[in-house]
Amino acid sequence: LGWSMGAEIIYEYVKQFGCDNLEKIVSVDMSAKIMAEEDENWPHAVFGKYTREDTLAQLDAIATDWSAVAEGFVPTMFSDGPGQEEIPYILNETLKNTPHVMSAMWVAIMVNDYRKVIETISVPTLITYGTHTSLYSPENSFWLEEHIEKGKAMGFDGGHIHFLQDSDNFNKAVMDFIG
């Protein structure tokens, strides 16, 4: 099970080692490609159309005022409703990261394109998404479902952090999926 960048780590594992040692995958609110190239019509980038210029601006913001970036980003992971009381805790944990670590992480997730890797996933894969997320549209998860042979997309009430906002339903779905 991987959430956000954790799902990208799973995709990288599949790219390097295949699925022979995997039984099932749970991909939590992530795209196969986060950045849209200027000359490309990729509608599943983060925020719908996140470009190289957006990435460079974000890197600059992380380097110059990481606290402000975190304070602006963390609330976007939540939708209205349950779980928002956790924002201060999540923000505090996020701020434990340093700007250079966050910059390296941001570059790592922005430059990867796992669309061809997605098509090689041969194990049952649960693809979860928040029905009220601001990061990725539900259509992103439907694209993953369509391109993973045994993929199944499932929406939960919440945002990017829907596993916290709709935890009972999320946990039941994951437990039912993994058996």
Side-chain angles (χ1 to χ4, degrees), residues 69-148:
V69 171
E71 289 168 5
F73 181 73
V74 167
T76 69
M77 294 191 303
F78 291 80
S79 67
D80 292 338
Q84 287 197 343
E85 66 277 3
E86 298 296 333
I87 290 174
Y89 170 77
I90 300 292
L91 178 59
N92 185 57
E93 293 300 304
T94 300
L95 288 170
K96 291 178 180 178
N97 293 293
T98 62
H100 74 280
V101 168
M102 294 309 299
S103 294
M105 184 272 311
W106 200 252
V107 168
I109 67 172
M110 287 297 140
V111 300
N112 290 313
D113 182 348
Y114 292 108
R115 291 177 291 185
K116 290 184 179 173
V117 173
I118 292 298
E119 295 179 354
T120 70
I121 295 175
S122 58
V123 297
T125 302
L126 178 62
I127 304 144
T128 75
Y129 63 94
T131 56
H132 307 290
T133 187
S134 63
L135 274 66
Y136 304 103
S137 70
E139 288 76 21
N140 167 65
S141 295
F142 304 146
W143 185 93
L144 291 168
E145 178 181 55
E146 181 181 321
H147 289 84
I148 297 174

Side-chain angles (χ1 to χ4, degrees), residues 53-66:
E53 288 74 25
D54 296 324
T55 298
L56 292 173
Q58 185 74 353
L59 287 170
D60 180 59
I62 289 169
T64 57
D65 195 350
W66 165 234

Side-chain angles (χ1 to χ4, degrees), residues 2-95:
W3 168 52
S4 198
M5 187 179 190
E8 258 205 10
I9 292 168
I10 294 170
Y11 303 158
E12 183 64 28
Y13 177 92
V14 171
K15 178 181 175 183
Q16 292 185 35
F17 305 106
C19 290
D20 291 345
N21 292 315
L22 299 174
E23 186 175 330
K24 294 179 179 175
I25 294 171
V26 180
S27 176
V28 181
D29 208 42
M30 189 52 156
S31 178
K33 185 172 190 275
I34 297 186
M35 188 171 59
E37 303 297 331
E38 293 299 326
D39 61 343
E40 165 184 62
N41 185 20
W42 173 245
H44 306 302
V46 69
F47 303 119
K49 181 79 173 161
Y50 200 82
T51 65
R52 183 174 308 276
E53 288 74 25
D54 296 324
T55 298
L56 292 173
Q58 185 74 353
L59 287 170
D60 180 59
I62 289 169
T64 57
D65 195 350
W66 165 234
S67 294
V69 171
E71 289 168 5
F73 181 73
V74 167
T76 69
M77 294 191 303
F78 291 80
S79 67
D80 292 338
Q84 287 197 343
E85 66 277 3
E86 298 296 333
I87 290 174
Y89 170 77
I90 300 292
L91 178 59
N92 185 57
E93 293 300 304
T94 300
L95 288 170

Side-chain angles (χ1 to χ4, degrees), residues 146-174:
E146 181 181 321
H147 289 84
I148 297 174
E149 179 183 344
K150 298 174 187 169
K152 171 72 175 140
M154 186 177 289
F156 294 90
D157 191 24
H160 185 56
I161 201 161
H162 58 272
F163 55 87
L164 177 67
Q165 292 195 275
D166 193 7
S167 58
D168 289 344
N169 289 324
F170 179 86
N171 290 338
K172 181 179 181 335
V174 169

